[in-house]
Amino acid sequence: MKLKLSFILIVFFIAIRAQSKNDLNSEEKEYISKFIYPIKTFNPAEKDHSDLLILNKLIGNSKIVGLGESTHGSSEVYQMKYRISEYLIADKNFNIFSLEANMPESFLMNQYIQEGKGNPKDILKGMYFWLWQTEETLTFVEWLKKYNENHRSKVFFDGFDMQYAKGAVDQIRKIYQENHWPEQEINDLEIALKENNRGFRTYSKKGQKIIAEHLFLIKQKSDTITNPEEKLRFLQNVDIIRQYSELNFIRRDKFMAENIKWLKENYLDSKVIVSAHNYHIAKLNSDRMGYWLNEMYDKDFVNFGFAFYEGTYSASIDGKLGTYNSEKAGPGTLEYKLNSLNIPVFILDLKAIKKDGNKLGNWILQDILFRKTGSGTDKNEFIKTNVANSFDYLIFINKSTNSKLLNGSSR
């Protein structure tokens, strides 16, 4: 009996010791608190923006701001992103909002917020994925439209992805029809895209060459387009189709960075908000869009990763779209440590911690378990990540609830 009790006590104390190793001690908490800026709410309807004034210091004169997300379906994360975006537009003169959605289809939303053309719910549905078919995004779109109605300087809406060719083909065909050009070149392109597809958007080198030949003929038509903006969009749609035909896992992020560069160069005095998953805006590896943006723009690009401790989120798992419980952040995860600070919502200045170099911040400068969930989830939502080298700043929210899907949301 005594032996059994001793064994239980040993196991208990080992567990306590392991737990304490994963917890922040009082010195570490005091140190990390120096780099924390509490945020009073994630709600975009909040009229008092005094808690967001810190963004003036953190962003400085940077012209591109990346806003991430740890899942594609957290209401609080999206609300926080949209609250920050509204502040940057209204107070920091940012004039382009761009998100991880197919570029041609997303551009249709620009026509809605600029001119009132189309139905925003239909446009969001036409952007393919359920991610943006939410009440949170629709509310933000309506805010953009109202902002444009009340300001001389306008905000633009666009995407930067290229996972589908249909929208680009349709918009090119429309230009052909408006100019009364024979549509055979477009028909031939559509046949080539269909016949050379090897499954889920993959094309052989031979197939890519065939598509490139069709695109070359179509591109020549741009010489006769007199409207400069129309010509630029026509050529960009041609390039979206080229990117689509060459798409693979690594190239997608590089192409997204190229499309953001196109936005930056083709909109006057542009300051761009880039909304995408944490994975894409991260600066660390060359398979990330953020890496290429950092290579191109250096200090002109800053990014904010997002994290939450527990709750629910929207996701599509095994083809079933709905609400799912997140994996609660356990000992050893970054979210567990940050939650122990008992601050519901805050911005953490990772750049300043790196610059300070104090050993009390070493735990956050190393690889650490960090949530990575996209439109679905694996059984284990946490992977080892060098968060400090991936993001300039991190926004922590203690509790997530699922994004509010619009009726008819799919995919």
Side-chain angles (χ1 to χ4, degrees):
M1 183 69 181
K2 288 183 178 179
L3 186 63
K4 185 176 181 181
L5 180 60
S6 297
F7 177 75
I8 292 172
L9 288 172
I10 290 170
V11 171
F12 175 76
F13 285 116
I14 289 174
I16 291 294
R17 187 174 179 183
Q19 181 86 358
S20 65
K21 282 182 68 178
N22 286 309
D23 291 340
L24 295 178
N25 61 41
S26 58
E27 279 188 300
E28 289 172 327
K29 285 184 178 181
E30 183 180 356
Y31 175 74
I32 207 73
S33 295
K34 297 176 183 178
F35 304 95
I36 281 176
Y37 302 96
I39 300 296
K40 63 184 174 184
T41 181
F42 44 77
N43 187 351
E46 174 61 47
K47 301 299 183 185
D48 181 5
H49 301 316
S50 58
D51 58 331
L52 297 182
L53 291 175
I54 187 59
L55 294 174
N56 298 347
K57 174 187 174 183
L58 300 181
I59 293 171
N61 296 319
S62 298
K63 301 293 196 303
I64 303 174
V65 173
L67 300 177
E69 56 205 50
S70 47
T71 83
H72 282 315
S74 168
S75 178
E76 287 71 19
V77 170
Y78 274 98
Q79 286 185 71
M80 189 74 244
K81 290 171 75 168
Y82 295 147
R83 184 177 180 228
I84 289 173
S85 296
E86 290 176 14
Y87 176 79
L88 294 180
I89 290 165
D91 291 78
K92 294 285 288 179
N93 299 317
F94 276 74
N95 56 358
I96 299 175
F97 179 85
S98 189
L99 79 170
E100 184 193 336
N102 230 52
M103 194 173 204
E105 289 81 353
S106 300
F107 180 64
L108 298 177
M109 189 64 80
N110 190 62
Q111 296 175 333
Y112 174 73
I113 69 167
Q114 297 267 355
E115 306 168 44
K117 291 183 179 179
N119 182 306
K121 289 185 179 180
D122 292 339
I123 296 169
L124 288 173
K125 190 173 183 179
M127 288 156 60
Y128 301 108
F129 298 109
W130 59 265
L131 284 57
W132 312 283
Q133 297 172 47
T134 64
E135 292 179 13
E136 293 85 356
T137 300
L138 183 61
T139 299
F140 177 60
V141 164
E142 295 295 359
W143 182 91
L144 291 172
K145 182 173 182 290
K146 187 174 181 180
Y147 181 90
N148 280 340
E149 288 171 351
N150 294 313
H151 291 82
R152 182 175 295 177
S153 58
K154 306 301 182 184
V155 183
F156 299 88
F157 189 105
D158 220 321
F160 49 80
D161 211 344
M162 72 311 295
Q163 294 194 75
Y164 296 89
K166 185 179 184 306
V169 172
D170 289 347
Q171 290 179 24
I172 290 171
R173 184 183 292 278
K174 184 180 177 182
I175 297 297
Y176 266 66
Q177 291 171 345
E178 289 173 352
N179 287 277
H180 306 290
W181 298 333
E183 296 179 43
Q184 190 57 49
E185 290 170 344
I186 309 298
N187 297 335
D188 292 343
L189 172 65
E190 286 190 310
I191 293 169
L193 286 167
K194 183 177 181 179
E195 289 184 346
N196 289 280
N197 193 302
R198 298 189 301 179
F200 197 69
R201 315 175 192 121
T202 58
Y203 292 84
S204 65
K205 291 290 185 183
K206 181 181 177 181
Q208 292 173 21
K209 184 180 178 183
I210 292 170
I211 291 166
E213 289 169 353
H214 289 290
L215 291 176
F216 176 77
L217 296 175
I218 292 169
K219 192 173 182 178
Q220 289 181 315
K221 287 289 195 296
S222 67
D223 293 339
T224 59
I225 299 175
T226 55
N227 184 307
E229 291 182 10
E230 192 175 276
K231 182 175 182 176
L232 282 170
R233 184 63 59 169
F234 180 90
L235 291 171
Q236 180 62 6
N237 278 327
V238 170
D239 204 44
I240 288 289
I241 298 169
R242 189 270 305 173
Q243 291 173 348
Y244 169 81
S245 72
E246 298 176 2
L247 196 58
N248 63 29
F249 180 75
I250 295 175
R251 284 179 183 161
R252 180 186 168 210
D253 273 68
K254 193 166 188 288
F255 289 157
M256 288 196 291
E258 289 175 5
N259 292 337
I260 292 167
K261 182 182 179 184
W262 184 89
L263 290 172
K264 187 78 182 63
E265 292 178 347
N266 289 289
Y267 284 89
L268 185 65
D269 299 323
S270 57
K271 297 177 75 173
V272 187
I273 300 166
V274 176
S275 176
H277 193 276
N278 281 345
Y279 179 90
H280 295 302
I281 69 159
K283 295 183 175 183
L284 186 55
N285 298 318
S286 60
D287 60 346
R288 314 290 173 88
M289 174 184 69
Y291 170 89
W292 293 106
L293 289 176
N294 196 50
E295 287 287 300
M296 287 188 281
Y297 295 104
D298 192 23
K299 293 178 182 179
D300 239 0
F301 169 59
V302 298
N303 65 354
F304 292 75
F306 275 74
F308 69 83
Y309 174 65
E310 64 178 345
T312 61
Y313 57 90
S314 298
S316 180
I317 300 176
D318 297 326
K320 185 178 179 181
L321 177 61
T323 299
Y324 294 88
N325 292 319
S326 67
E327 183 181 346
K328 191 173 182 178
T333 66
L334 175 60
E335 290 86 344
Y336 176 87
K337 292 177 184 289
L338 295 180
N339 190 65
S340 71
L341 299 170
N342 294 316
I343 306 172
V345 187
F346 61 83
I347 300 174
L348 178 62
D349 189 342
L350 296 169
K351 283 177 74 173
I353 296 172
K354 287 173 66 176
K355 186 177 180 180
D356 193 54
N358 192 304
K359 66 179 182 180
L360 289 172
N362 283 348
W363 61 271
I364 202 169
L365 302 180
Q366 302 168 355
D367 288 0
I368 190 168
L369 289 171
F370 182 66
R371 192 188 305 275
K372 178 187 177 292
T373 303
S375 54
T377 183
D378 298 320
K379 290 182 180 179
N380 186 356
E381 296 182 21
F382 296 86
I383 63 169
K384 281 286 184 86
T385 306
N386 194 310
V387 176
N389 286 337
S390 296
F391 310 110
D392 298 309
Y393 312 105
L394 186 71
I395 297 178
F396 175 81
I397 298 171
N398 63 342
K399 193 172 183 66
S400 164
T401 59
N402 53 288
S403 56
K404 309 304 183 287
L405 299 174
L406 299 171
N407 291 334
S409 297
S410 60
R411 298 196 193 184

